[in-house]
Amino acid sequence: METIRLGKEYIEEAIKGLKCAEASIVKRFGDKKGRELLDKISDRIEEVHVPKLNDSVMLVYSLRKEAPPNMAMYYEIKAQDKEGKEIGVLKYKLYDSLCTIHLCYIGVTDKEYQGKGIGYLLLSKMEDIAKEIEIPAIEGHFQPLGELASFSRKFYERNGYEIEFDYVDRKPCLYKRIKEVEDYDEMER
């Protein structure tokens, strides 16, 4: 059983992991383009039109600098309405190998906006990031609870994710290939 580390040691380890992932991006693309990509996935705001709403939402891209005790540092994309109220959020982690993005959480937090394409928008923006920094796959776990179980499964499958049961972690896992890679060692160079 894994022990959850708390306090200063935990935060230092999370920051070290994050710096390794960011260093891998700079190594892969060079200093200038690597820094531009890092700026693009954190600390920016984008206005996006959502057809089902017939309106726009603001997407706020950020790096979560203060991680909760049970989670590593992560990036997030928040959807906000025009008044700045959070209506949805997606959280993901990058690993220094840059072989996958780990989807930690996605949710449309305001019931008024559920079923309007906000979840799809957040997921597609994360997939765009994966394509741009040449990460071949997205993976993650989800906890289907009650009546949301069927909805969650359909949502991921409708968006091209494969779902299997992870017998080690004892929960469903999801996976989507973003691009074909013949040689993972070649990605490291």
Side-chain angles (χ1 to χ4, degrees):
M1 180 179 231
E2 186 178 331
T3 304
I4 297 173
R5 281 172 259 145
L6 302 174
K8 185 178 177 185
E9 177 186 325
Y10 172 81
I11 296 297
E12 286 173 358
E13 189 172 310
I15 290 170
K16 181 180 172 187
L18 181 68
K19 286 181 179 176
C20 287
E22 290 178 348
S24 296
I25 291 172
V26 171
K27 179 181 174 187
R28 180 179 287 175
F29 294 101
D31 193 53
K32 185 177 182 203
K33 185 173 182 190
R35 302 255 174 244
E36 287 172 3
L37 289 170
L38 288 170
D39 287 344
K40 193 171 189 177
I41 64 174
S42 62
D43 302 326
R44 81 179 169 103
I45 298 174
E46 173 185 18
E47 185 172 3
V48 180
H49 181 74
V50 181
K52 285 185 178 179
L53 281 177
N54 201 23
D55 202 354
S56 295
V57 297
M58 302 303 288
L59 295 179
V60 179
Y61 297 77
S62 63
L63 168 63
R64 191 57 201 244
K65 293 176 175 65
E66 296 166 6
N70 62 345
M71 184 180 228
M73 304 282 264
Y74 58 90
Y75 290 90
E76 69 183 9
I77 306 170
K78 285 185 182 179
Q80 298 176 341
D81 65 13
K82 293 205 178 208
E83 287 77 44
K85 177 182 169 193
E86 182 181 302
I87 57 176
V89 66
L90 180 143
K91 299 176 183 184
Y92 66 95
K93 292 188 273 189
L94 291 175
Y95 297 108
D96 60 343
S97 65
L98 299 181
C99 290
T100 62
I101 282 182
H102 179 80
L103 173 61
C104 301
Y105 174 81
I106 183 172
V108 177
T109 52
D110 188 321
K111 289 188 186 244
E112 178 184 336
Y113 290 92
Q114 291 176 350
K116 307 279 194 218
I118 303 299
Y120 168 78
L121 174 66
L122 292 167
L123 203 57
S124 66
K125 291 297 180 177
M126 182 190 62
E127 291 172 7
D128 290 347
I129 289 168
K131 289 173 191 167
E132 195 153 5
I133 56 179
E134 299 178 6
I135 292 180
I138 295 171
E139 54 85 22
H141 291 98
F142 73 101
Q143 295 287 355
L145 303 171
E147 63 187 54
L148 290 178
S150 176
F151 177 79
S152 295
R153 183 178 197 93
K154 288 177 188 171
F155 171 77
Y156 288 117
E157 288 174 341
R158 191 172 53 243
N159 287 289
Y161 286 79
E162 297 173 25
I163 298 177
E164 296 178 358
F165 190 78
D166 183 335
Y167 290 95
V168 174
D169 289 336
R170 304 177 80 63
K171 55 185 158 185
C173 62
L174 51 99
Y175 180 83
K176 182 175 184 177
R177 180 162 308 285
I178 301 298
K179 74 174 213 167
E180 291 298 320
V181 175
E182 291 181 25
D183 185 2
Y184 280 91
D185 291 332
E186 189 67 30
M187 289 180 62
E188 293 293 316
R189 295 184 190 126

